[in-house]
Amino acid sequence: LPRVLSGIQPTADSFHLGNYLGALRQWVALQQDHEAFYCVVDLHAITVDWDPETLRRRTLVSAAQLLALGVDPARSTLFVQSHVPEHVQLSWVMESLARFGEASRMTQFKDKSQREGAAGTSVALFTYPVLQAADILLYQADRVPVGEDQRQHLELTRDLATRFNNRFGTSFRLPEAHIVQGTAKILDLQSPDKKMSKSLPPAGCIDLLDDPKVTGKKIRSAVTDTGREVVADPEGKPGVTNLLTIHSALSGRSVGDLEEHFAGRGYGDLKKELAEVVGDFVTPVRGRTQELLDDPAELQRTLAQGAARAREVAGRTVADVYDKVGFLPPT
Ligand code: AQP
């Protein structure tokens, strides 16, 4: 079976609809016909300022949400990144191959370091994409389901893998980004010129664990566009187009079908119906997440099994790489 790997940061109390539609929905779909490795990337979460207790709680809440969304531990290897030390072990080698110039070109680093300011920017934020490359290459992943914002990091991963393979002999499979057009960049409801993100004010971001009443309010106050027709037009009507995209993705109806459905009706009708569609989706996810969190010991057992399985695969890659780069074996 082809392999798939992806990760998500435990940096919020809830995942948002952008995370789900851009990435997590594909995680669930791909596990049907791939050998899947999915991780909560807590090592990445400490590249910006963090609180230890909050991180621990969010790691567990993240794992619960993934299971609630449909990641099936019988099919997929679900684990916490810090439980698998091979990620850091491979990352160091990748850091030695990565060039300062190419890491400096990563737009996510440029954006986030600007936000943090020079004094708050950690060295780890700079090397973040190199650790991400290690995450992917450890498992010989063929596909990596992610949102559009991760495309550049995937290119770097391929470059580093190619550089290693050419110099030391083939160790790595070259992974491809699995980016689903249409939902690869869900926009913020208040600033539909930006991607939905936990770093923007919460009014524009639909959290999966929000109270549906809050969700409804956020949707009703979404920024729309001038005009009154409910039609998709990414350039002229980014706000309305975004609402149609979300509706379509969750209801399974095509955007064209929705345009017909809302013909002669206004933005208010679209928002009202979308609030219902989103409410119907998130309500059971919230419920299942809560149930899973009621039994943290069971959740931890699932993660321990995932880590053990992940280490078998990751350990083989590290052993091969450490041998090829010339590290003296310990025995
Ligand atoms: N708006 C989005 N549309 C589509 N996909 C998205 N992703 C994130 N935002 C959108 C995808 O979600 C996955 C998990 O991403 P992450 O763990 O890196 O979280 P993130 O990108 O840090 O999430 P935020 O909210 O965007 O945080 P900040 O503001 O810190 O950058 C990835 O596959 C990502 O592409």
Side-chain angles (χ1 to χ4, degrees), residues 9 16 18-19 112 146-147 149 184 186 195-199:
Q9 299 190 75
H16 58 69
N19 297 142
K112 289 198 179 178
V146 285
D149 57 323
I186 298 298
K195 71 161 195 164
M196 184 177 283
S197 159
K198 61 179 175 275
S199 312

Side-chain angles (χ1 to χ4, degrees), residues 121-272:
T121 299
S122 66
V123 172
L125 187 66
F126 185 65
T127 56
Y128 180 119
V130 184
L131 174 60
Q132 187 177 341
D135 299 339
I136 297 164
L137 298 174
L138 272 178
Y139 300 95
Q140 308 291 344
D142 298 282
R143 275 181 203 102
V144 185
V146 285
E148 183 62 45
D149 57 323
Q150 293 298 323
R151 191 185 288 279
Q152 195 187 28
H153 289 173
L154 259 293
E155 282 306 314
L156 176 69
T157 302
R158 290 170 61 90
D159 289 346
L160 294 176
T162 306
R163 199 169 302 158
F164 184 97
N165 288 348
N166 288 343
R167 172 149 177 212
F168 300 104
T170 302
S171 282
F172 298 125
R173 222 177 276 182
L174 292 194
E176 271 175 35
H178 180 86
I179 296 176
V180 173
Q181 289 316 314
T183 53
K185 188 177 176 185
I186 298 298
L187 303 176
D188 186 86
L189 300 189
Q190 288 299 319
S191 313
D193 55 331
K194 303 195 180 79
K195 71 161 195 164
M196 184 177 283
S197 159
K198 61 179 175 275
S199 312
L200 292 171
C205 181
I206 299 184
D207 282 338
L208 302 182
L209 301 183
D210 268 347
D211 182 324
K213 280 195 209 107
V214 175
T215 309
K217 209 168 146 196
K218 287 181 181 176
I219 293 173
R220 280 193 302 277
S221 31
V223 167
T224 39
D225 316 281
T226 52
R228 44 179 67 201
E229 254 186 301
V230 179
V231 289
D233 169 9
E235 296 298 315
K237 289 170 171 269
V240 169
T241 307
N242 191 42
L243 299 182
L244 283 169
T245 300
I246 297 171
H247 190 316
S248 168
L250 292 180
S251 66
R253 299 173 69 171
S254 73
V255 170
D257 182 20
L258 291 173
E259 285 173 337
E260 255 173 59
H261 173 69
F262 287 109
R265 297 156 70 196
Y267 296 159
D269 285 340
L270 167 64
K271 288 175 171 178
K272 188 160 169 272

Side-chain angles (χ1 to χ4, degrees), residues 14-21 24-25 64-65 68-70 189 196 205-219 246 249-251 273-291:
S14 168
F15 297 146
H16 58 69
L17 214 46
N19 297 142
Y20 176 67
L21 294 178
L24 303 178
R25 202 156 78 128
Q65 281 178 94
L69 287 167
L189 300 189
M196 184 177 283
C205 181
I206 299 184
D207 282 338
L208 302 182
L209 301 183
D210 268 347
D211 182 324
K213 280 195 209 107
V214 175
T215 309
K217 209 168 146 196
K218 287 181 181 176
I219 293 173
I246 297 171
L250 292 180
S251 66
E273 194 174 300
L274 181 61
E276 279 167 30
V277 168
V278 173
D280 288 349
F281 172 71
V282 293
T283 303
V285 173
R286 274 182 94 204
R288 280 198 298 274
T289 302
Q290 198 47 59
E291 273 169 36

